[in-house]
Amino acid sequence: MYLWWSSGKVYKRKSLMKKNILANFIGKFWSILSSFLFIPLYIKYLGFDSYSVISFTLLIAGVMAVLDAGLTATLSREFARNDNDDEQKIKIFKTLETIYLLVTGFSVLAIFLCSNIIAEKWIETSAYTSKEVALFLKIISFDIGFQLLFRFYLGGLLGLEKQVKANFYQIGWGVLRNALVVILIMVVPNLLYFFIWQSLATILFSLVVKLSLEKELTGKRSLNFSLKIEKSVYKRIWKFAGSMLLIALVGAVNTQMDKIAISKLLSLESLGYYTLAISLAQCIVVVVNPIALAVLPRFTALYSEGREGEAIQLFNKIGIVVSIVVFACMANLSLFSKEIIWAWTGQKDLVDQAAVFLPVLSLSMTMLALCVLPYQVAIANGYTKLNNYLGLISMVITFPGYWIATKYFGAIGAAYVFCFVQILTTFFYVYFINRKFIKNNIFTQVYLKQFILPLTIALSLVFFFSNISNLMEENRILIFISIGVSTLLTILISSLILMPSECKSAFLKIKKIINV
């Protein structure tokens, strides 16, 4: 009887995880689609000068994300723990929400009060006056502040393994904030109205997700913001949250300092070209995040129950899938960089300026994506020390490196520094996490099977596809189809080579369904 119940419980967990992965893929697919659909439209209706200003606001949002202080990750982790009952989860939520409301208020106030100084002393653009830019910053201060709050509440839903619901809200927010605003700027191509719309959309969805999370926790929807900090909860989580704060702080320096250096030393248009390439390269990380978000609660549950063997098996199965997908995406973005940017934006004058960054940034994001799964294992075990050590050490390179490289080599110099640091930290991070928690043979099972072989196969296949297809055509749809086919074939062939047993099993299941 117990075995039946236990196996049924495991089946339900696996089924839930698969459903969550699917939901996260749909949500992240929307994120990728949003970038492809809407950024070219922003450039078309508002102009590239306005997009450069938008790029700068994205930079500020990335810097202010450090104020998250690891509270979202802490909330997700505590909700995912099996040793927390419902009452304890409510106390944890109320305590973290109180802290987060203070963080949100501080972020809004900081940007609002510093807007004039930033506009006058930092930004170089001929399209808008300093007063206009300062007004933009005042408006987006609310957008950035409530984005923090929105993601905090989403983190709570993800920790409760409500990925379907969380992605529903994520997509809804994206539609209202990034899609419907296109209709507005088609009628009134004004950057001021663009920022007002986005800010109102974020505030609205922050409140909606708050109501949903309250319903999951307490059984009733409420907008009651009771400012209360439980000392017992604070004592329990402060160490983990503090470590996450340091990770966020170091991460902000290492991932935003390149853009800060470019915005300060070069023109705002240079930042626009660089950000355009990053928007494409980040698709690699976006593809991996759905898997990571779905397996974190699973890893947390397995390690909290002492079932390390199952956690390692799960890591190995998903690790090879992640490697195949990210290297396939990287190879296509790198070898088809000019074609992708032309097909995406429809503006050939942007191709040469932005395409030069894409191969370098794609490799950088690939290295970052390969750290995502080991990072989830570390977070599931409450282990953040390594992130802090590597982050602080890497700052020795990034802090002076970005400024020197940008000054003497331009924005491409910053891209090379970013890439070098990501490669270096990835190899060290994967090695130490594997040694502490996974205990695979690092050279054969990780570096060879998950790094070298997928990379070699992907580059070889895409190089072959690039030489048999003529993608420099005027038809942008055909270019997208060709690159899409190249990416899918790369993933499929890599899977057949590196995962023959899993592919055979999947084929037999499909055959069985067809026969039925």
Side-chain angles (χ1 to χ4, degrees):
M1 181 70 178
Y2 172 76
L3 290 174
W4 173 84
W5 177 84
S6 177
S7 61
K9 186 177 180 181
V10 170
Y11 174 79
K12 287 182 179 179
R13 283 182 172 179
K14 289 182 178 179
S15 178
L16 178 62
M17 188 179 71
K18 290 178 180 178
K19 184 175 72 172
N20 288 337
I21 289 176
L22 178 61
N24 290 333
F25 263 119
I26 293 172
K28 294 306 176 181
F29 175 76
W30 166 253
S31 298
I32 297 173
L33 188 64
S34 296
S35 295
F36 272 98
L37 290 179
F38 305 134
I39 289 178
L41 293 175
Y42 299 160
I43 296 173
K44 178 179 180 180
Y45 293 111
L46 294 174
F48 190 76
D49 289 330
S50 294
Y51 176 72
S52 298
V53 176
I54 295 172
S55 299
F56 186 76
T57 65
L58 295 175
L59 167 60
I60 295 178
V63 173
M64 297 305 290
V66 70
L67 294 176
D68 175 282
L71 296 180
T72 298
T74 304
L75 182 67
S76 295
R77 179 174 181 267
E78 292 299 317
F79 278 5
R81 290 175 65 96
N82 289 339
D83 52 350
N84 281 330
D85 58 26
D86 292 342
E87 184 178 351
Q88 185 68 17
K89 288 178 180 179
I90 293 173
K91 288 182 179 180
I92 292 169
F93 170 66
K94 292 300 181 183
T95 297
L96 291 177
E97 184 186 37
T98 299
I99 299 173
Y100 220 100
L101 288 170
L102 297 174
V103 168
T104 300
F106 175 79
S107 65
V108 173
L109 193 62
I111 300 172
F112 195 93
L113 294 178
C114 295
S115 58
N116 290 323
I117 298 174
I118 295 172
E120 293 173 4
K121 304 293 184 181
W122 197 276
I123 297 178
E124 178 189 335
T125 178
S126 58
Y128 296 97
T129 65
S130 296
K131 287 185 178 180
E132 287 176 315
V133 173
L135 179 58
F136 298 153
L137 294 177
K138 286 182 172 67
I139 293 169
I140 65 105
S141 67
F142 293 95
D143 183 31
I144 292 172
F146 277 87
Q147 276 190 53
L148 295 174
L149 205 58
F150 173 73
R151 292 193 173 96
F152 173 73
Y153 293 134
L154 276 185
L157 290 175
L158 293 172
L160 294 172
E161 295 199 69
K162 301 295 181 181
Q163 269 92 345
V164 175
K165 185 173 289 187
N167 280 285
F168 174 79
Y169 291 128
Q170 181 89 32
I171 293 172
W173 174 62
V175 170
L176 181 62
R177 182 179 184 273
N178 301 321
L180 295 182
V181 72
V182 174
I183 300 174
L184 174 67
I185 61 176
M186 286 174 63
V187 179
V188 186
N190 188 300
L191 192 57
L192 176 63
Y193 297 145
F194 174 87
F195 285 133
I196 291 175
W197 179 284
Q198 290 203 319
S199 298
L200 291 175
T202 302
I203 293 171
L204 174 63
F205 264 83
S206 298
L207 300 178
V208 170
V209 181
K210 153 79 172 175
L211 289 171
S212 180
L213 184 56
E214 288 277 3
K215 174 70 175 178
E216 294 292 339
L217 286 174
T218 65
K220 58 181 180 180
R221 292 181 174 85
S222 171
L223 284 178
N224 179 29
F225 296 93
S226 56
L227 301 179
K228 185 179 181 181
I229 297 178
E230 294 277 352
K231 290 185 179 180
S232 60
V233 173
Y234 177 78
K235 288 180 180 179
R236 176 179 172 177
I237 66 170
W238 75 268
K239 189 173 181 180
F240 179 78
S243 297
M244 294 302 296
L245 168 61
L246 186 56
I247 291 174
L249 193 62
V250 172
V253 173
N254 288 331
T255 59
Q256 303 298 331
M257 188 58 69
D258 54 342
K259 294 181 279 293
I260 293 174
I262 292 170
S263 67
K264 178 61 178 176
L265 299 176
L266 306 176
S267 66
L268 206 59
E269 286 73 21
S270 297
L271 177 63
Y273 297 131
Y274 190 84
T275 304
L276 198 67
I278 284 183
S279 297
L280 281 171
Q282 281 179 333
C283 294
I284 296 172
V285 179
V286 169
V287 168
V288 176
N289 278 337
I291 301 175
L293 291 173
V295 298
L296 177 57
R298 183 68 176 144
F299 277 138
T300 303
L302 289 173
Y303 279 109
S304 67
E305 295 171 3
R307 297 156 62 187
E308 290 86 358
E310 292 180 48
I312 293 171
Q313 288 180 359
L314 180 63
F315 176 87
N316 288 333
K317 286 181 180 179
I318 296 180
I320 187 64
V321 174
V322 167
S323 298
I324 289 170
V325 171
V326 299
F327 281 118
C329 293
M330 185 216 75
N332 280 275
L333 285 173
S334 299
L335 296 181
F336 293 126
S337 57
K338 289 186 177 181
E339 292 87 347
I340 288 175
I341 292 177
W342 148 237
W344 180 37
T345 63
Q347 300 189 34
K348 291 187 176 180
D349 56 322
L350 298 180
V351 171
D352 291 332
Q353 290 90 338
V356 66
F357 303 117
L358 193 52
V360 183
L361 294 175
S362 295
L363 179 57
S364 306
M365 292 301 170
T366 297
M367 292 295 106
L368 197 61
L370 292 173
C371 285
V372 169
L373 200 60
Y375 178 71
Q376 302 306 315
V377 172
I379 295 303
N381 287 277
Y383 181 72
T384 58
K385 188 183 297 185
L386 180 61
N387 292 79
N388 292 329
Y389 283 157
L390 287 178
L392 290 171
I393 293 171
S394 66
M395 286 176 65
V396 176
I397 302 173
T398 57
F399 197 78
Y402 283 138
W403 293 88
I404 295 172
T406 303
K407 182 177 180 180
Y408 290 101
F409 302 102
I412 191 63
Y416 278 118
V417 172
F418 180 56
C419 186
F420 173 75
V421 171
Q422 291 306 321
I423 293 173
L424 203 62
T425 55
T426 295
F427 275 90
F428 277 106
Y429 188 76
V430 170
Y431 173 81
F432 284 109
I433 293 298
N434 178 80
R435 183 178 177 182
K436 187 173 182 63
F437 298 111
I438 307 302
K439 299 178 177 60
N440 282 330
N441 184 308
I442 187 66
F443 294 103
T444 58
Q445 290 181 272
V446 180
Y447 290 156
L448 179 62
K449 191 172 182 179
Q450 297 186 18
F451 283 36
I452 297 174
L453 288 178
L455 171 62
T456 304
I457 294 169
L459 286 175
S460 301
L461 290 170
V462 177
F463 179 77
F464 172 75
F465 294 145
S466 67
N467 281 278
I468 65 172
S469 61
N470 181 19
L471 296 182
M472 290 306 290
E473 300 176 4
E474 294 298 318
N475 193 314
R476 293 161 60 194
I477 296 177
L478 287 179
I479 292 176
F480 272 129
I481 292 174
S482 299
I483 295 174
V485 170
S486 172
T487 304
L488 291 175
L489 286 176
T490 304
I491 293 173
L492 178 61
I493 297 172
S494 298
S495 300
L496 290 172
I497 296 172
L498 298 173
M499 302 172 58
S501 59
E502 286 83 353
C503 291
K504 182 178 179 181
S505 176
F507 174 76
L508 290 174
K509 287 181 180 178
I510 294 171
K511 185 178 179 182
K512 184 178 180 181
I513 292 171
I514 293 173
N515 290 334
V516 171

